[in-house]
Amino acid sequence: MRDTRESRLLLVLLIAIAFALITVDIRGGEESPVDGARQAAATVFGPVENGVAAAVDPIGHAIGAVRDSGQRHDRISQLEHENAALKQRLGSDDRNRSRVRELDKMLKKAGAGQYGIKGAEVIAIGAAQGFSWTVTIDVGSSDGIQRDMTVLNGDGLVGRVTTVGPNTATVLLANDPDFTVGTRMEKTDELGFATGQGDRPLSVQLLNGKAKVKKGDRLVTFGSQADKPFVPGVPVGEVVRVDPSGGDLTRTIYVRPFVGFTKLDIVGVVVLAPRSDPRDTVLPPKPAAPKPTPTVTVTVTPSAGGDVSATDQNVE
């Protein structure tokens, strides 16, 4: 098509319509008038994405063993037994060994938090429905997945389910600017709300403007009413910067997420919430402080005859 006045006007009109639909969708929430179109798109394109993923991934069916573990995991030993069976099915090459490690971490996270999960693979990045940070996973309503379920992996909080088709679902990632989750500080229990900032650290507004926070402090999810969209106790991230309080009612801190959103592969959808809040038990143990290196000192002692003697001493 030639670059004419009519073609330019048509392009401007299409862009305006697109932004109008995005605005209506965001303001509509669960009652969005375009939610039906999103679900229809998931129904139509989900099987195609699943088929492509199955064709290029020869071990995709092995993840099904985790999907069948929707009942509550009461013992980590049970999870390790399931993981051992998966290891045999996944093989021994480097790529599969890496995925086994991911599965192992995720199952142990689920065991520590008493989360019942459905395992899934990320089969597509982004979505045709908008310009959000999203991924498509290969489980859907036929696997018991519903909208507003928590998604995690072996590192921590991945996001929440926003759209569900029969065999696939869309997950809004925690670093998306439209993503917000209630958080709780480790040990101090200070509450706040974390918001995604793309490839930058999460911005967290603490409700207590005088809260004492330092670099390295860690946060977990606070949990939602009826555990949707968020179950409690899922690791969120680590504080990397703290803004001065300045006497404000709230305080802003910046948190580096535990999850690497650009390299997602195997995730788990929480289909069964824990009986009680796991608090900080799902957080990984902090590394032990390094022991100080011994230093050598030399003590010079003059003798009566004018000679000087030197003595080495080790000081811890």
Side-chain angles (χ1 to χ4, degrees):
M1 184 171 63
R2 291 180 298 173
D3 185 15
T4 63
R5 177 182 177 85
E6 290 78 8
S7 64
R8 288 195 296 270
L9 288 175
L10 178 60
L11 177 61
V12 171
L13 179 61
L14 290 174
I15 293 174
I17 293 173
F19 277 103
L21 287 173
I22 293 170
T23 302
V24 170
D25 184 27
I26 293 173
R27 291 181 177 177
E30 290 194 18
E31 305 300 326
S32 169
V34 300
D35 188 56
R38 275 204 307 270
Q39 294 188 8
T43 302
V44 172
F45 294 110
V48 177
E49 292 173 325
N50 253 330
V52 172
V56 300
D57 187 357
I59 64 171
H61 296 294
I63 310 304
V66 185
R67 294 190 199 123
D68 295 333
S69 62
Q71 296 181 350
R72 190 182 309 275
H73 300 295
D74 292 326
R75 298 190 306 272
I76 292 181
S77 60
Q78 177 185 350
L79 302 176
E80 291 174 340
H81 175 74
E82 294 172 358
N83 192 37
L86 282 171
K87 288 178 181 178
Q88 287 186 334
R89 298 181 63 182
L90 289 174
S92 59
D93 61 82
D94 290 342
R95 162 69 172 161
N96 293 343
R97 279 197 295 267
S98 174
R99 305 188 81 196
V100 165
R101 287 193 293 269
E102 288 187 49
L103 280 168
D104 188 53
K105 286 174 61 179
M106 185 176 72
L107 288 172
K108 287 180 177 178
K109 277 280 191 294
Q114 299 294 293
Y115 307 124
I117 63 171
K118 294 281 188 180
E121 288 184 272
V122 174
I123 58 174
I125 300 173
Q129 302 97 313
F131 302 100
S132 303
W133 288 74
T134 61
V135 295
T136 302
I137 56 177
D138 64 344
V139 292
S141 57
S142 60
D143 303 288
I145 306 303
Q146 300 175 9
R147 182 171 178 170
D148 284 336
M149 283 183 167
T150 307
V151 182
L152 52 77
N153 69 1
D155 296 316
L157 180 67
V158 171
R160 64 180 176 87
V161 176
T162 55
T163 305
V164 182
N167 302 299
T168 61
T170 301
V171 178
L172 183 69
L173 301 181
N175 64 335
D176 186 273
D178 288 332
F179 187 98
T180 300
V181 58
T183 61
R184 183 177 56 77
M185 297 290 301
E186 180 185 14
K187 296 181 180 178
T188 65
D189 291 340
E190 294 287 355
L191 302 182
F193 292 94
T195 302
Q197 296 195 111
D199 54 4
R200 294 180 294 162
L202 305 177
S203 173
V204 181
Q205 293 287 329
L206 294 179
L207 301 184
N208 180 6
K210 298 180 180 179
K212 294 181 179 180
V213 188
K214 65 182 184 300
K215 185 177 179 180
D217 286 349
R218 303 183 297 180
L219 296 84
V220 299
T221 56
F222 177 66
S224 307
Q225 186 175 9
D227 298 311
K228 285 190 175 182
F230 302 109
V231 294
V234 181
V236 175
E238 182 177 280
V239 176
V240 292
R241 183 161 66 90
V242 181
D243 279 355
S245 60
D248 296 332
L249 295 178
T250 62
R251 190 172 193 182
T252 302
I253 62 176
Y254 298 92
V255 174
R256 180 178 62 245
F258 289 125
V259 171
F261 297 105
T262 60
K263 52 183 180 181
L264 292 171
D265 184 10
I266 297 173
V267 299
V269 183
V270 180
V271 296
L272 189 61
R275 293 189 181 95
S276 59
D277 188 343
R279 309 294 292 178
D280 301 333
T281 59
V282 188
L283 284 167
K286 285 190 173 183
K291 294 183 179 180
T293 303
T295 58
V296 178
T297 60
V298 178
T299 303
V300 179
T301 305
S303 64
D307 296 329
V308 177
S309 62
T311 303
D312 292 343
Q313 294 180 339
N314 287 335
V315 179
E316 295 294 332

